[in-house]
Amino acid sequence: MATRSLRGRLTWTFAVGAAVLSTVFASLTYFGVRHIIVVSRQASDLQQAYVNAALVRSAVAQDSASLPSLLTSLDAATTSSSLVQLGSTWIEGTSVADPTSIPAAFRVAGTEVVRQVVIEHNVPVLIIAVPLPAVRATYFQRRELADLNGTLNRLLGVLALGTLFTSGLGAYAGRRTTRRAIAPLADTAQAARQVAEGDLTVRLPANAPHSEVATLSAAFNEMVEQLVLRLERDARFASDVSHELRSPLTTLAMSAEVLRLHEAELHPDAREALALLTTDVATFQSLVEDLLDIAKADAGTDTMVEEVLPIGELVTQCVISATRRHQLPATALDSQLDGEHYVSVDRRRFERVITNLLENAYRYGDDRVVVTLALGDGGVQLTVDDNGPGIAPAERERVFERFYRGAGASRRGDARGTGLGLALVAEHVSRFAGRVEVAESPLGGCRMIVWLPAVEGERE
Amino acid sequence: MSRLRTPLLGLLASVLLSACTLVPTDPSPRSVNSADVPSGLLNGGGAKKSATVAFWYFDAEGRLVKRWERISTPVTIAALLTHLTQRVPSGLTTALPTKIALTRAVVRGDEVTLFISAGFRGVDPETEMAAMRQMVATLRDTFGISTLNVNDVERGRTLFVDAPAP
């Protein structure tokens, strides 16, 4: 059976419960009423048979010639069929009653009144035998119970309809009741989704005290409060650490730069050590910058300076800037845009996005990186292709997690990545109301796709 | 949910089964408590031991003549036929074969059907018709019938005769 929703299951349970209960009550009603009707009818027929038998006995004792006409009148008056057995002589009324229709067990002369309901041609028939020892005769009365069958049939139909109606009513009541009952669950699920999407301001309303829903709401709100506190603590810690590291790192970088000015005077081993030092300090600086950005974003202390900018010009500037500042190879930019298109972004963050994407592409690619701008899905689509080993489909969601290093990271390049670059890209792009995803590049490597909503704008 | 399915189906099946036999039937005859039967109905006494019945015979000229005679009750057709064949008054005759065997007689309204299993074999048609007239006259006076059917089981044929006016 396919998994049903909680509401579906509750509705089904209500319907089944109502069906079971109404079926039980309908069955009890039916069997009870049937018993009363049948017993009552049989008692009535039995009383009629006694009266008829007494008349027959009298007729047989006084004047046999009147017996056929007596039976005929009895049949007419009682809508039953009468038979009298006098030894081998059977005397009938005018109704259709064949002696052979009397069960063999009845034809054996007895001393007790017996009765039996049998089915003849799909019609129930009540047969009563009254022995009349005074005249050595037996009186038989046959009475078709078709009308009783009809009554019971109608009763059954009414009860079946009632059962169906009650089941439907149960399902309807269950659906209405569960809608209200599970509404708080739906609210909680919606709030949890909002929290998962980063909205930590969402809270559930307080419900009636001492109710299960109130407990759930309080627990949920408490959980979100604790989550906010932890995130703030973590962000503050990362921010503090980054701040503390920034100054000595700057000093370290400047010292290395001074040493680089006198690189020619150094012993070859010292030159090699200086090169390593310079590279690692740059990586370290980059990591600290990224950490600081993320910490600010988490703590909500960063300020967005949103501007409506032409995307073509913005991307060109950012690519040139990133290439120069980070000493990257020249990057091909292919703009497929027709005319000016604008996006609303923070220039500094957008430059960080481009820088991180290019660094990532060159780090893991094989020195062939292409940046493409195109329109798509009601916005602007920026793609960065490389010809590296690419990213396995299973890892494409996780590469945007902080410090995530997939199985292919070591294959795709050296270990100079901070593990925060793509996380920061996702963070910034989401702040621009855009999205970022990974695909397979036609160059054979990885394709990073950044989509940003287009906005109205005009050149100043 | 499957735990609920079995009792639910059971209930539905019971309802359907009950629908098949709306009025419950009995596998065998059921006795009624004698205490519930009106007093006297099942008693053996209180009835006449004999009754006077008109029997018809043939006289010497071949005419049917009536004779009143007492026979023990209950007055059955078998008893009447036995009397007609075995208690013939002096000076009168009967056309009924002495070995006539009646298996069943059914009186329906003013018509009677006799199922004769033996006795008519070898009887000439004229005597056979005389026997029919003798029987129908006797049965007319006793049971008020106007038509006699004789089903000769032995020879697979049915004879009938209407009763003459009284």
Side-chain angles (χ1 to χ4, degrees):
Chain A
M1 184 186 289
T3 305
R4 289 196 181 95
S5 65
L6 176 62
R7 193 178 175 199
R9 277 181 287 155
L10 286 172
T11 304
W12 174 247
T13 304
F14 266 80
V16 169
V20 169
L21 277 178
S22 53
T23 305
V24 167
F25 281 118
S27 299
L28 290 175
T29 304
Y30 173 73
F31 289 118
V33 171
R34 185 178 77 168
H35 177 74
I36 291 169
I37 290 178
V38 169
V39 166
S40 169
R41 167 62 74 83
Q42 290 192 0
S44 159
D45 285 345
L46 211 49
Q47 291 303 320
Q48 188 63 55
Y50 294 152
V51 172
N52 292 354
L55 292 172
V56 165
R57 186 180 67 166
S58 177
V60 172
Q62 300 297 328
D63 180 13
S64 298
S66 64
L67 200 51
S69 59
L70 172 66
L71 295 183
T72 301
S73 60
L74 288 179
D75 288 359
T78 61
T79 66
S80 60
S81 308
S82 297
L83 276 166
V84 173
Q85 184 184 17
L86 288 162
S88 61
T89 302
W90 289 83
I91 303 171
E92 304 175 353
T94 50
S95 304
V96 179
D98 192 328
T100 57
S101 68
I102 302 297
F106 275 81
R107 283 183 254 159
V108 178
T111 57
E112 294 180 308
V113 176
V114 291
R115 63 181 176 178
Q116 185 179 10
V117 175
V118 296
I119 298 292
E120 287 180 7
H121 310 295
N122 296 323
V123 174
V125 177
L126 171 63
I127 301 172
I128 299 170
V130 182
L132 301 169
V135 292
R136 285 181 295 203
T138 306
Y139 170 73
F140 295 95
Q141 179 176 288
R142 292 177 74 262
R143 176 79 180 270
E144 290 193 353
L145 303 176
D147 58 328
L148 201 58
N149 245 7
T151 303
L152 291 175
N153 231 335
R154 282 191 293 280
L155 174 67
L156 198 64
V158 168
L159 290 173
L161 279 177
T163 301
L164 283 176
F165 177 73
T166 310
S167 305
L169 204 62
Y172 175 72
R175 192 142 189 88
R176 278 189 68 88
T177 306
T178 53
R179 185 170 61 187
R180 271 192 297 176
I182 67 168
L185 287 182
D187 293 343
T188 306
Q190 174 63 22
R193 270 195 294 274
Q194 285 177 265
V195 170
E197 286 165 5
D199 182 2
L200 297 177
T201 61
V202 67
R203 296 290 184 277
L204 290 173
N207 286 284
H210 310 302
S211 70
E212 293 81 356
V213 176
T215 309
L216 176 67
S217 300
F220 179 85
N221 290 342
E222 176 66 19
M223 180 195 73
V224 177
E225 293 288 353
Q226 292 297 325
L227 185 63
V228 168
L229 286 176
R230 169 161 291 194
L231 284 175
E232 284 176 353
R233 197 166 55 236
D234 290 351
R236 205 178 308 118
F237 174 75
S239 178
D240 291 347
V241 169
S242 304
H243 261 299
E244 292 303 320
L245 288 176
R246 219 170 173 187
S247 299
L249 264 178
T250 306
T251 307
L252 208 56
M254 288 176 64
S255 303
E257 195 57 37
V258 169
L259 282 175
R260 267 169 51 81
L261 293 174
H262 302 282
E263 190 176 4
E265 301 163 22
L266 296 176
H267 186 271
D269 290 344
R271 273 207 299 274
E272 192 177 338
L274 178 61
L276 286 172
L277 178 67
T278 306
T279 305
D280 282 350
V281 165
T283 303
F284 203 5
Q285 270 187 310
S286 180
L287 173 64
V288 168
E289 289 296 328
D290 287 349
L291 260 180
L292 205 54
D293 270 1
I294 283 183
K296 282 178 181 172
D298 287 347
T301 56
D302 57 342
T303 48
M304 279 269 288
V305 185
E306 280 201 71
E307 297 173 86
V308 176
L309 300 168
I311 185 70
E313 194 177 312
L314 178 66
V315 170
T316 304
Q317 287 172 359
C318 289
V319 168
I320 292 170
S321 170
T323 303
R324 191 169 54 235
R325 284 178 59 193
H326 296 273
Q327 299 171 351
L328 299 174
T331 304
L333 176 59
D334 175 17
S335 177
Q336 298 169 3
L337 297 178
D338 182 15
E340 291 280 19
H341 294 276
Y342 294 86
V343 291
S344 177
V345 296
D346 179 312
R347 184 189 290 272
R348 185 188 69 78
R349 284 188 172 79
F350 189 79
E351 187 174 332
R352 189 75 181 161
V353 168
I354 296 290
T355 302
N356 284 4
L357 289 176
L358 288 177
E359 278 191 327
N360 188 70
Y362 281 113
R363 184 175 302 127
Y364 299 112
D366 196 14
D367 282 350
R368 184 162 177 220
V369 176
V370 176
V371 178
T372 308
L373 264 178
L375 292 176
D377 198 14
V380 180
Q381 196 163 286
L382 167 73
T383 56
V384 179
D385 290 301
D386 68 51
N387 61 343
I391 299 174
E395 291 183 300
R396 286 177 186 171
E397 285 286 327
R398 301 200 61 193
V399 293
F400 297 105
E401 293 175 10
R402 296 171 190 184
F403 297 111
Y404 177 76
R405 292 176 116 15
S410 55
R411 279 200 318 271
R412 294 174 65 234
D414 56 33
R416 284 177 294 148
T418 64
L420 284 173
L422 291 180
L424 201 58
V425 167
E427 177 71 33
H428 287 337
V429 169
S430 72
R431 297 286 292 270
F432 304 151
R435 58 177 183 267
V436 59
E437 57 192 47
V438 184
E440 193 172 338
S441 170
L443 299 181
C446 166
R447 162 172 280 190
M448 291 288 177
I449 305 167
V450 174
W451 178 88
L452 294 172
V455 297
E456 292 291 323
E458 59 180 40
R459 183 172 287 278
E460 292 176 1
Chain B
M1 211 56 70
S2 59
R3 280 177 296 169
L4 284 174
R5 196 177 298 154
T6 307
L8 188 63
L9 289 176
L11 280 169
L12 287 174
S14 69
V15 170
L16 288 174
L17 280 175
S18 68
C20 293
T21 54
L22 293 167
V23 175
T25 56
D26 303 309
S28 60
R30 289 190 293 153
S31 298
V32 176
N33 190 349
S34 296
D36 297 333
V37 180
S39 62
L41 196 59
L42 299 180
N43 289 347
K48 290 191 298 184
K49 299 290 183 193
S50 62
T52 304
V53 175
F55 290 93
W56 290 78
Y57 299 94
F58 289 99
D59 62 9
E61 281 77 37
R63 291 174 301 191
L64 276 171
V65 292
K66 181 162 66 175
R67 287 287 182 274
W68 290 95
E69 296 181 27
R70 292 193 70 78
I71 62 168
S72 57
T73 56
V75 179
T76 67
I77 292 176
L80 293 177
L81 295 186
T82 303
H83 198 96
L84 282 175
T85 55
Q86 296 177 2
R87 301 283 177 85
V88 183
S90 59
L92 299 176
T93 58
T94 182
L96 267 71
T98 54
K99 298 265 173 87
I100 190 166
L102 178 71
T103 55
R104 193 168 81 232
V106 179
V107 179
R108 178 176 295 148
D110 61 353
E111 185 175 336
V112 63
T113 303
L114 306 183
F115 295 85
I116 306 291
S117 60
F120 274 112
R121 182 180 290 276
V123 176
D124 63 89
E126 192 178 338
T127 306
E128 198 172 62
M129 186 48 64
M132 294 283 289
R133 287 171 52 211
Q134 192 181 353
M135 284 191 290
V136 77
T138 303
L139 293 176
R140 177 198 61 198
D141 289 351
T142 312
F143 286 99
I145 61 99
S146 58
T147 302
L148 167 66
N149 300 307
V150 173
N151 189 329
D152 187 351
V153 179
E154 191 181 26
R155 287 190 282 178
R157 61 176 189 159
T158 301
L159 304 172
F160 73 92
V161 63
D162 289 331

